[in-house]
């Protein structure tokens, strides 16, 4: 294979000139930023719709940043990366970025983790499971209406810190996400009780039946069977007819 390459002096000069202009702009911008002095702190929060664990003032507090003392100081005296790290250490924060505008204001753009389930326990504080699997603490400011998770498996779950890092956690997240993403299930399934062997029993919002889901496997198939139970069996037999529904057997629904 042959390559034809022709050296074009004018083209090469234009490329070098363009690179020098870019380098010059970067150097000029950095120099101007070093000369800027700190103004106000302005917080922009993403993913806050129905998600009020933190507000703008909480973000400023997380910065551990004395704005009064630092106002007027040069940006070269502020360790922006360290301030950013302080914000990211908060479990409710999924990501945070700090930068300055041309007027010297510090802009904080923070995105919040969104809870998909609440962990309830008798021997310690409750917690939340975020949509990325992170285990978060509860908040005194806000309570999210999500499915509850309880049972003897909870201590092992809490040790994982993030459910997405283990196979057990990922399959459990799949069950929780299936409930969250479906309008009917998110309204009907109130609680998941998980025993030490990861057998799941679901408690509904409406009805007296205990739903024996079993291990978090064949998830779609089990939810399809449960939908048949709610759409075809209960309307004929009555919502208070059964106290137990078992979905563990393949191609069967056991209702008693």
């Amino acid at each position: 294979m042959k390559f034809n390459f022709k050296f074009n002096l004018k083209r090469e000069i234009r490329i070098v000139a363009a690179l020098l202009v870019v380098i010059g702009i970067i150097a000029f911008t950095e120099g101007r930023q070093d000369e800027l002095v700190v103004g106000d702190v302005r917080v922009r929060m993403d993913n806050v719709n129905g998600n009020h664990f933190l507000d703008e003032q909480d973000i400023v507090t997380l910065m551990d940043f004395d704005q009064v003392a630092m106002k007027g100081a040069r940006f070269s005296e502020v360790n922006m990366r360290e301030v950013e790290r302080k914000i990211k250490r908060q479990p409710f924060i999924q990501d945070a970025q700090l930068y300055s505008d041309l007027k010297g204001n510090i802009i904080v753009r923070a995105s919040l983790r969104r809870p998909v389930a609440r962990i309830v326990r008798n021997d310690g504080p409750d917690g939340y499971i975020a949509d990325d699997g992170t285990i978060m603490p509860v908040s005194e400011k806000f309570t999210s209406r999500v499915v509850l998770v309880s049972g003897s498996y909870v201590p092992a779950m809490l040790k994982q810190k993030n459910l997405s890092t283990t196979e057990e956690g990922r399959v459990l997240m799949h069950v929780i996400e299936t409930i969250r993403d479906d309008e009917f299930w998110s309204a009907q399934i109130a609680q998941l009780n998980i025993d030490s062997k990861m057998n799941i029993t679901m408690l509904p919002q409406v009805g007296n039946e205990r739903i024996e889901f079993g291990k978090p496997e064949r998830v779609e198939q089990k939810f399809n069977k449960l939908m048949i139970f709610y759409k075809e069996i209960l309307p004929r037999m009555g919502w208070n007819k059964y106290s137990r529904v078992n979905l563990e057997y393949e191609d069967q629904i056991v209702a008693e």
Side-chain angles (χ1 to χ4, degrees):
M1 183 180 293
K2 294 183 179 180
F3 296 93
N4 294 322
F5 178 78
K6 294 182 180 180
F7 181 80
N8 188 316
L9 181 59
K10 291 183 178 181
R11 183 188 62 191
E12 303 302 324
I13 291 175
R14 285 198 298 268
I15 293 173
V16 172
L19 289 174
L20 290 175
V21 169
V22 171
I23 293 171
I25 291 173
I26 293 173
F28 175 76
T29 302
E30 290 180 347
R32 286 291 302 276
Q33 188 174 29
D34 288 340
E35 294 175 3
L36 281 175
V37 295
V38 177
D40 296 324
V41 175
R42 299 181 179 178
V43 179
R44 300 172 182 172
M45 299 180 67
D46 300 325
N47 200 17
V48 294
N49 184 28
N51 191 8
H52 306 292
F53 290 107
L54 299 175
D55 57 27
E56 287 83 355
Q57 185 54 50
D58 293 323
I59 301 295
V60 174
T61 301
L62 288 173
M63 294 171 69
D64 192 20
F65 181 78
D66 191 340
Q67 187 178 353
V68 175
M70 289 300 298
K71 198 165 186 177
R74 294 184 182 278
F75 267 91
S76 57
E77 301 172 7
V78 181
N79 190 335
M80 299 280 277
R81 290 186 178 181
E82 178 58 28
V83 176
E84 189 175 281
R85 280 194 289 268
K86 289 179 180 178
I87 297 174
K88 289 181 177 180
R89 282 198 288 265
Q90 162 57 249
F92 292 125
I93 300 293
Q94 188 166 37
D95 191 25
Q97 296 178 346
L98 268 70
Y99 54 91
S100 63
D101 63 16
L102 296 178
K103 296 180 179 179
N105 299 310
I106 295 179
I107 309 299
V108 184
R109 167 144 269 162
S111 58
L112 302 181
R113 288 188 170 93
R114 186 171 293 281
V116 293
R118 177 165 181 165
I119 301 169
V120 292
R121 50 190 301 202
N122 298 323
D123 57 348
D126 291 359
Y128 284 103
I129 302 172
D131 51 4
D132 65 352
T134 299
I135 305 296
M136 306 187 299
V138 294
S139 169
E140 296 179 356
K141 301 181 64 172
F142 178 69
T143 300
S144 182
R145 298 183 63 182
V146 290
V147 65
L148 303 179
V149 176
S150 61
S152 54
Y153 180 70
V154 164
M157 181 190 305
L158 294 174
K159 289 179 182 178
Q160 296 181 51
K161 303 298 183 182
N162 188 311
L163 298 185
S164 297
T165 61
T166 67
E167 181 61 27
E168 280 189 355
R170 285 190 289 272
V171 295
L172 180 57
M173 283 295 295
H174 181 44
V175 175
I176 294 172
E177 288 165 351
T178 301
I179 296 171
R180 176 201 61 183
D181 294 339
D182 185 278
E183 185 177 0
F184 180 78
W185 297 133
S186 62
Q188 175 62 2
I189 304 300
Q191 186 168 344
L192 308 179
N193 191 279
I194 310 173
D195 68 17
S196 59
K197 297 181 180 179
M198 287 194 73
N199 291 301
I200 300 173
T201 299
M202 298 180 176
L203 304 179
Q205 293 278 8
V206 179
N208 299 321
E209 65 277 0
R210 293 171 58 86
I211 303 164
E212 297 174 0
F213 193 86
K215 295 188 183 300
E217 55 193 19
R218 306 193 319 276
V219 172
E220 286 77 14
Q221 181 188 35
K222 290 179 180 179
F223 273 109
N224 288 338
K225 290 195 295 183
L226 187 58
M227 185 61 77
I228 293 172
F229 174 77
Y230 279 118
K231 284 190 171 183
E232 299 181 16
I233 299 176
L234 282 188
R236 289 189 287 107
M237 304 302 296
W239 281 81
N240 296 316
K241 170 73 174 177
Y242 301 104
S243 60
R244 171 178 171 263
V245 179
N246 188 294
L247 306 173
E248 296 183 66
Y249 301 102
E250 199 161 356
D251 300 323
Q252 292 186 52
I253 302 173
V254 178
E256 299 175 345

